[in-house]
Amino acid sequence: SLPNLPFLKPASGGRLVNKGVDVGDPFVGAAPDLGAFEGAIVVPVTNTMIAVPAVTGNTGSTVTVYGVLTTINNVPVVGRLLTFSVNGVVLGTAVTNANGQCMLSGVQTSNLGIGAIPLTVSFAGDAFYNASIGSGTLTISKSATKLTIESPSGKVGVSGTLKATLTRKSDGALLSGKLVRFQLDGVDIGTTTTVSGVALLPFTITNSLTIGTHTLTALFDGDSLNLNTASTGGTLTVLP
Protein backbone atom coordinates (compact mmCIF):
# COMPACT_ATOMS: atom_id res chain seq x y z
CA SER A 1 0.00 0.00 0.00
CA LEU A 2 1.05 3.61 -0.49
CA PRO A 3 2.56 5.51 2.48
CA ASN A 4 0.47 8.13 4.25
CA LEU A 5 2.48 11.20 3.17
CA PRO A 6 1.95 14.49 5.04
CA PHE A 7 2.41 16.58 1.89
CA LEU A 8 0.95 16.85 -1.62
CA LYS A 9 -2.55 16.75 -0.15
CA PRO A 10 -5.04 19.58 -0.62
CA ALA A 11 -5.72 21.61 2.50
CA SER A 12 -9.08 21.06 4.10
CA GLY A 13 -11.55 23.52 2.61
CA GLY A 14 -9.02 24.60 -0.02
CA ARG A 15 -9.72 25.43 -3.68
CA LEU A 16 -8.48 22.00 -4.85
CA VAL A 17 -10.96 19.99 -2.78
CA ASN A 18 -13.74 18.29 -4.79
CA LYS A 19 -12.61 20.01 -8.02
CA GLY A 20 -11.45 16.97 -9.97
CA VAL A 21 -13.20 14.72 -12.51
CA ASP A 22 -14.57 11.29 -11.57
CA VAL A 23 -12.64 8.75 -13.70
CA GLY A 24 -13.77 5.71 -11.75
CA ASP A 25 -11.15 5.67 -9.00
CA PRO A 26 -12.24 5.84 -5.33
CA PHE A 27 -12.55 9.30 -3.81
CA VAL A 28 -14.01 11.06 -0.78
CA GLY A 29 -16.56 13.84 -1.08
CA ALA A 30 -18.66 15.17 -3.95
CA ALA A 31 -15.82 14.77 -6.50
CA PRO A 32 -12.12 13.88 -6.56
CA ASP A 33 -9.64 16.39 -5.17
CA LEU A 34 -6.99 17.99 -7.38
CA GLY A 35 -3.58 16.82 -6.24
CA ALA A 36 -1.28 13.85 -5.98
CA PHE A 37 -3.31 12.16 -3.24
CA GLU A 38 -6.95 12.01 -2.30
CA GLY A 39 -7.96 12.24 1.33
CA ALA A 40 -8.66 9.10 3.38
CA ILE A 41 -10.40 6.49 1.23
CA VAL A 42 -12.57 3.69 2.55
CA VAL A 43 -12.97 0.90 0.00
CA PRO A 44 -16.47 -0.58 0.42
CA VAL A 45 -16.81 -4.34 0.90
CA THR A 46 -19.37 -5.81 -1.50
CA ASN A 47 -22.07 -8.26 -0.40
CA THR A 48 -22.19 -11.58 -2.25
CA MET A 49 -24.53 -14.49 -2.78
CA ILE A 50 -24.11 -18.08 -3.97
CA ALA A 51 -26.49 -20.02 -6.23
CA VAL A 52 -26.32 -23.81 -5.93
CA PRO A 53 -27.97 -25.77 -8.78
CA ALA A 54 -29.72 -29.04 -7.89
CA VAL A 55 -27.81 -32.23 -8.77
CA THR A 56 -28.97 -35.86 -9.06
CA GLY A 57 -27.03 -39.11 -9.01
CA ASN A 58 -27.09 -42.79 -8.09
CA THR A 59 -25.37 -44.73 -5.34
CA GLY A 60 -21.94 -46.06 -6.22
CA SER A 61 -21.33 -43.38 -8.85
CA THR A 62 -19.72 -39.95 -8.91
CA VAL A 63 -21.40 -36.60 -9.49
CA THR A 64 -20.33 -33.04 -10.26
CA VAL A 65 -21.62 -30.24 -8.02
CA TYR A 66 -21.71 -26.54 -8.87
CA GLY A 67 -21.70 -23.10 -7.28
CA VAL A 68 -22.09 -19.58 -8.71
CA LEU A 69 -20.70 -16.62 -6.74
CA THR A 70 -22.00 -13.14 -7.60
CA THR A 71 -22.62 -9.80 -5.96
CA ILE A 72 -26.18 -9.12 -4.85
CA ASN A 73 -26.52 -7.28 -8.17
CA ASN A 74 -25.61 -10.47 -10.06
CA VAL A 75 -22.11 -9.34 -11.05
CA PRO A 76 -19.80 -12.41 -11.25
CA VAL A 77 -17.10 -12.63 -8.58
CA VAL A 78 -13.97 -14.06 -10.19
CA GLY A 79 -11.10 -16.10 -8.78
CA ARG A 80 -12.55 -16.85 -5.36
CA LEU A 81 -12.39 -20.16 -3.50
CA LEU A 82 -15.71 -21.89 -2.74
CA THR A 83 -16.08 -24.80 -0.31
CA PHE A 84 -18.60 -27.60 -0.93
CA SER A 85 -20.03 -29.51 2.05
CA VAL A 86 -22.66 -32.15 2.82
CA ASN A 87 -23.93 -32.53 6.39
CA GLY A 88 -20.96 -30.53 7.66
CA VAL A 89 -18.42 -32.72 5.89
CA VAL A 90 -16.27 -30.91 3.31
CA LEU A 91 -16.35 -32.52 -0.12
CA GLY A 92 -13.73 -30.23 -1.65
CA THR A 93 -13.06 -26.75 -2.97
CA ALA A 94 -13.01 -25.01 -6.36
CA VAL A 95 -12.20 -21.53 -7.72
CA THR A 96 -14.73 -19.38 -9.57
CA ASN A 97 -14.17 -18.62 -13.27
CA ALA A 98 -14.87 -15.47 -15.28
CA ASN A 99 -18.61 -16.06 -14.88
CA GLY A 100 -18.40 -16.60 -11.13
CA GLN A 101 -19.02 -20.30 -11.66
CA CYS A 102 -17.07 -23.25 -10.33
CA MET A 103 -17.58 -27.00 -10.21
CA LEU A 104 -16.32 -29.87 -8.11
CA SER A 105 -16.23 -33.14 -10.03
CA GLY A 106 -15.69 -36.72 -8.94
CA VAL A 107 -17.81 -36.50 -5.77
CA GLN A 108 -18.40 -40.05 -4.50
CA THR A 109 -22.01 -40.84 -3.61
CA SER A 110 -21.46 -44.18 -1.85
CA ASN A 111 -21.43 -42.76 1.69
CA LEU A 112 -23.91 -39.92 1.25
CA GLY A 113 -27.12 -41.91 1.77
CA ILE A 114 -30.35 -42.00 -0.22
CA GLY A 115 -32.80 -39.20 -0.97
CA ALA A 116 -32.56 -35.40 -0.99
CA ILE A 117 -29.36 -34.35 0.77
CA PRO A 118 -28.61 -30.68 1.62
CA LEU A 119 -25.60 -29.37 -0.31
CA THR A 120 -23.87 -26.27 1.08
CA VAL A 121 -21.45 -24.01 -0.81
CA SER A 122 -19.66 -21.29 1.14
CA PHE A 123 -17.35 -18.34 0.49
CA ALA A 124 -15.17 -17.14 3.38
CA GLY A 125 -15.00 -13.55 2.17
CA ASP A 126 -11.97 -11.26 1.79
CA ALA A 127 -11.01 -7.58 1.84
CA PHE A 128 -13.29 -6.80 -1.10
CA TYR A 129 -16.23 -9.20 -0.77
CA ASN A 130 -18.30 -10.31 2.20
CA ALA A 131 -18.73 -13.98 3.08
CA SER A 132 -21.82 -15.83 1.89
CA ILE A 133 -23.41 -19.30 1.94
CA GLY A 134 -25.66 -20.96 -0.59
CA SER A 135 -27.74 -24.12 -0.30
CA GLY A 136 -28.96 -26.64 -2.82
CA THR A 137 -30.04 -30.27 -3.03
CA LEU A 138 -28.08 -33.34 -4.02
CA THR A 139 -30.59 -36.13 -4.70
CA ILE A 140 -29.19 -39.67 -4.57
CA SER A 141 -31.27 -42.60 -5.85
CA LYS A 142 -30.80 -46.34 -5.60
CA SER A 143 -28.77 -47.85 -8.42
CA ALA A 144 -30.34 -50.05 -11.07
CA THR A 145 -28.91 -53.57 -11.20
CA LYS A 146 -28.67 -56.39 -13.70
CA LEU A 147 -28.59 -60.18 -13.36
CA THR A 148 -27.31 -62.46 -16.10
CA ILE A 149 -27.72 -66.21 -15.82
CA GLU A 150 -26.16 -69.18 -17.56
CA SER A 151 -28.38 -71.79 -19.21
CA PRO A 152 -27.12 -75.30 -18.38
CA SER A 153 -28.28 -78.64 -19.77
CA GLY A 154 -27.93 -82.28 -18.72
CA LYS A 155 -29.61 -85.60 -18.16
CA VAL A 156 -31.58 -86.70 -15.11
CA GLY A 157 -29.21 -87.45 -12.26
CA VAL A 158 -26.51 -85.03 -13.42
CA SER A 159 -25.25 -82.58 -10.80
CA GLY A 160 -23.86 -79.17 -11.56
CA THR A 161 -23.80 -75.54 -10.45
CA LEU A 162 -26.22 -72.82 -11.43
CA LYS A 163 -24.48 -69.49 -12.04
CA ALA A 164 -25.68 -65.89 -12.17
CA THR A 165 -23.78 -62.60 -12.15
CA LEU A 166 -25.04 -59.43 -10.44
CA THR A 167 -23.77 -56.02 -11.59
CA ARG A 168 -24.61 -52.34 -11.15
CA LYS A 169 -25.97 -50.93 -14.41
CA SER A 170 -24.38 -47.49 -14.19
CA ASP A 171 -20.78 -48.70 -14.27
CA GLY A 172 -20.91 -52.49 -14.55
CA ALA A 173 -19.44 -52.96 -11.07
CA LEU A 174 -19.76 -56.47 -9.63
CA LEU A 175 -21.91 -56.49 -6.49
CA SER A 176 -20.66 -58.78 -3.73
CA GLY A 177 -22.38 -59.97 -0.57
CA LYS A 178 -25.87 -59.82 -2.11
CA LEU A 179 -28.54 -62.54 -1.78
CA VAL A 180 -29.65 -64.08 -5.06
CA ARG A 181 -32.58 -66.48 -5.38
CA PHE A 182 -32.84 -69.09 -8.08
CA GLN A 183 -36.19 -70.23 -9.46
CA LEU A 184 -37.03 -73.11 -11.75
CA ASP A 185 -40.35 -72.76 -13.54
CA GLY A 186 -41.30 -70.04 -11.04
CA VAL A 187 -40.53 -72.07 -7.91
CA ASP A 188 -37.68 -71.16 -5.56
CA ILE A 189 -34.97 -73.83 -5.51
CA GLY A 190 -32.31 -72.08 -3.42
CA THR A 191 -30.63 -68.87 -2.28
CA THR A 192 -26.94 -67.98 -2.22
CA THR A 193 -24.70 -64.96 -1.65
CA THR A 194 -22.66 -63.35 -4.40
CA VAL A 195 -18.86 -63.42 -4.26
CA SER A 196 -17.23 -60.91 -6.60
CA GLY A 197 -20.68 -60.51 -8.13
CA VAL A 198 -21.16 -64.22 -8.88
CA ALA A 199 -23.89 -66.38 -7.32
CA LEU A 200 -23.32 -70.14 -7.43
CA LEU A 201 -25.91 -72.75 -6.41
CA PRO A 202 -25.27 -76.53 -6.54
CA PHE A 203 -28.12 -78.34 -8.31
CA THR A 204 -29.02 -81.87 -9.38
CA ILE A 205 -31.42 -82.65 -12.22
CA THR A 206 -34.00 -84.95 -10.66
CA ASN A 207 -36.45 -87.33 -12.34
CA SER A 208 -39.28 -84.96 -11.34
CA LEU A 209 -38.24 -82.77 -14.25
CA THR A 210 -39.64 -83.62 -17.65
CA ILE A 211 -37.48 -83.90 -20.73
CA GLY A 212 -37.18 -80.55 -22.46
CA THR A 213 -36.65 -76.89 -21.59
CA HIS A 214 -37.52 -75.31 -18.24
CA THR A 215 -37.44 -71.62 -17.28
CA LEU A 216 -34.50 -70.75 -15.03
CA THR A 217 -34.45 -67.36 -13.29
CA ALA A 218 -32.16 -65.56 -10.84
CA LEU A 219 -33.64 -62.80 -8.67
CA PHE A 220 -32.15 -60.05 -6.50
CA ASP A 221 -34.65 -58.43 -4.13
CA GLY A 222 -32.68 -55.20 -3.75
CA ASP A 223 -31.26 -53.54 -0.64
CA SER A 224 -30.71 -50.11 0.89
CA LEU A 225 -28.54 -48.95 -2.01
CA ASN A 226 -29.63 -51.03 -5.02
CA LEU A 227 -32.86 -51.74 -6.87
CA ASN A 228 -34.24 -55.24 -7.35
CA THR A 229 -33.81 -57.11 -10.61
CA ALA A 230 -34.36 -60.49 -12.26
CA SER A 231 -32.59 -62.31 -15.04
CA THR A 232 -34.30 -63.02 -18.34
CA GLY A 233 -33.96 -65.71 -20.95
CA GLY A 234 -32.41 -68.37 -18.71
CA THR A 235 -33.24 -72.03 -19.24
CA LEU A 236 -32.43 -75.48 -17.91
CA THR A 237 -32.62 -78.13 -20.58
CA VAL A 238 -33.21 -81.72 -19.49
CA LEU A 239 -31.77 -84.08 -22.07
CA PRO A 240 -33.25 -87.48 -22.91
Side-chain angles (χ1 to χ4, degrees):
S1 60
L2 292 173
N4 184 16
L5 300 177
F7 53 89
L8 298 179
K9 295 182 179 179
S12 178
R15 291 182 298 168
L16 301 181
V17 175
N18 296 337
K19 299 302 181 180
V21 177
D22 182 3
V23 294
D25 293 330
F27 61 86
V28 175
D33 298 337
L34 289 175
F37 294 99
E38 176 73 25
I41 296 173
V42 177
V43 178
V45 181
T46 304
N47 290 327
T48 62
M49 60 183 183
I50 299 176
V52 184
V55 176
T56 61
N58 296 319
T59 57
S61 63
T62 61
V63 296
T64 299
V65 291
Y66 304 86
V68 184
L69 178 65
T70 64
T71 68
I72 58 175
N73 296 320
N74 290 314
V75 177
V77 179
V78 182
R80 264 56 181 188
L81 188 72
L82 301 189
T83 301
F84 295 80
S85 304
V86 167
N87 295 326
V89 178
V90 174
L91 301 175
T93 59
V95 176
T96 57
N97 63 14
N99 297 315
Q101 303 169 347
C102 67
M103 65 179 185
L104 181 66
S105 59
V107 175
Q108 295 285 343
T109 62
S110 301
N111 300 320
L112 298 181
I114 296 293
I117 302 166
L119 172 65
T120 301
V121 183
S122 60
F123 169 55
D126 56 25
F128 301 97
Y129 297 99
N130 282 324
S132 56
I133 297 177
S135 298
T137 302
L138 172 57
T139 302
I140 305 298
S141 303
K142 290 185 178 183
S143 289
T145 57
K146 180 181 180 181
L147 266 171
T148 57
I149 191 168
E150 295 185 357
S151 296
S153 62
K155 296 182 178 183
V156 171
V158 171
S159 296
T161 301
L162 304 179
K163 179 180 179 181
T165 303
L166 179 64
T167 58
R168 188 167 52 220
K169 273 190 174 181
S170 61
D171 58 1
L174 297 167
L175 300 179
S176 296
K178 309 300 181 183
L179 289 178
V180 172
R181 294 184 291 121
F182 286 86
Q183 288 185 345
L184 187 61
D185 294 331
V187 178
D188 283 1
I189 57 175
T191 300
T192 186
T193 302
T194 58
V195 177
S196 297
V198 178
L200 300 174
L201 182 70
F203 181 75
T204 299
I205 300 176
T206 65
N207 56 14
S208 63
L209 295 173
T210 59
I211 302 299
T213 299
H214 299 262
T215 300
L216 182 63
T217 308
L219 303 98
F220 170 57
D221 293 326
D223 59 18
S224 61
L225 299 178
N226 302 286
L227 295 172
N228 64 302
T229 189
S231 65
T232 58
T235 59
L236 170 66
T237 303
V238 180
L239 303 176

